[in-house]
Amino acid sequence: MYGGWSPTGLPVSETWVYDGTRWQQVSQTSPPGVRGGRSLAYDPVRDRVVLFGDAPDPEDVTWEFDGSQWIARPTPFHPDENRSFIQLAYDTKHEAVILFGGYDGGLWNDTWAYGADPDGDGIVGGFDNCRTTANGNQADADADAAGDACDCAPADPTASGEVSGLVFGADRTTLSWDSAVPGAGSGTVHDVVRGEGLAELPVGSGGQEACLAKGLAASSATDPDLPVAGGGFWYLVRGRNVCGAGTYGFRSDGTERTTGVCT
């Protein structure tokens, strides 16, 4: 909690933290100054409390609290900082703090987003369809939510990027992994290779390998077989789309695992 009004009606500049049991006043450096009609929102991605509004003087910053002190973040482009009684809330889908409305002699009816902008194009958080490639116009010719500037197949709505790493689940006969679709497009499918042995996964081990599933749209597969007593199976999975095929991973010596099945 920050600021508010004293019993005498004057704005204050105190910071208080509630831990579920008790309130504690925090001694902080560089506080935002006295303000009453401000608003706060917690950003869980960056682990910061964000404050804006009811500035005592014109300021080109947004305030963040890191648990011990307030930090002034320069934001030359921002809403009117003198407005009060605004509403702030964190949007988990877009990973941004949303500001709406407020009062400054009249009522405001505008919406703003505050968040990370690694490519510096003015579009923050998940509102940017290419987070690390500047594309202020947000062009998306195939409407697949990946902007043309970072889409390897800008005319194909089923593919939008190269396939990244996949992670297996722990069930004995049903394999599950993180689908490559969110990062590579809806046209991405998966190939699953099964091999025999307990040593480190071999490279191109020929007859020891079998294609358990090829071109699988789902992110799970069931193996009807079990290894012999004292033996074991290993599995490799990759994603594939029109932009290319992902990797089956790498051995401890840094060489890439390859296989002659599921091609």
Side-chain angles (χ1 to χ4, degrees), residues 172-197:
R172 186 178 182 188
T173 57
T174 300
L175 313 172
S176 62
W177 54 88
D178 293 337
S179 174
V181 168
S186 61
T188 302
V189 296
H190 307 97
D191 302 328
V192 184
V193 173
R194 187 189 76 191
E196 299 179 11

Side-chain angles (χ1 to χ4, degrees), residues 178-229:
D178 293 337
S179 174
V181 168
S186 61
T188 302
V189 296
H190 307 97
D191 302 328
V192 184
V193 173
R194 187 189 76 191
E196 299 179 11
L198 297 177
E200 183 179 5
L201 306 184
V203 177
S205 54
Q208 292 183 334
E209 300 170 355
C211 185
L212 182 64
K214 181 179 180 181
L216 194 64
S219 57
S220 65
T222 300
D223 187 349
D225 301 323
L226 291 175
V228 298

Side-chain angles (χ1 to χ4, degrees), residues 124-170:
V124 303
F127 289 100
D128 194 343
N129 61 19
C130 285
R131 294 196 185 193
T132 59
T133 304
N135 63 331
N137 61 10
Q138 295 289 283
D140 181 12
D142 55 11
D144 62 356
D148 294 347
C150 60
D151 191 340
C152 68
D156 184 350
T158 69
S160 57
E162 295 181 1
V163 179
S164 61
L166 304 174
V167 179
F168 276 114

Side-chain angles (χ1 to χ4, degrees), residues 3-80:
W5 284 277
S6 71
T8 59
L10 297 176
V12 296
S13 60
E14 298 175 353
T15 301
W16 291 78
V17 176
Y18 181 67
D19 64 4
T21 304
R22 65 190 181 92
W23 285 96
Q24 175 186 353
Q25 186 172 4
V26 178
S27 297
Q28 74 280 349
T29 59
S30 302
V34 295
R35 57 186 80 197
R38 73 292 166 268
S39 184
L40 302 174
Y42 176 63
D43 181 340
V45 173
R46 295 182 301 114
D47 193 24
R48 294 288 189 272
V49 173
V50 177
L51 177 150
F52 191 85
D54 201 23
D57 297 298
E59 58 182 1
D60 291 330
V61 301
T62 297
W63 292 90
E64 296 182 358
F65 184 67
D66 65 2
S68 60
Q69 65 178 344
W70 286 98
I71 303 166
R73 299 295 186 192
T75 47
F77 186 64
H78 55 71
D80 172 57

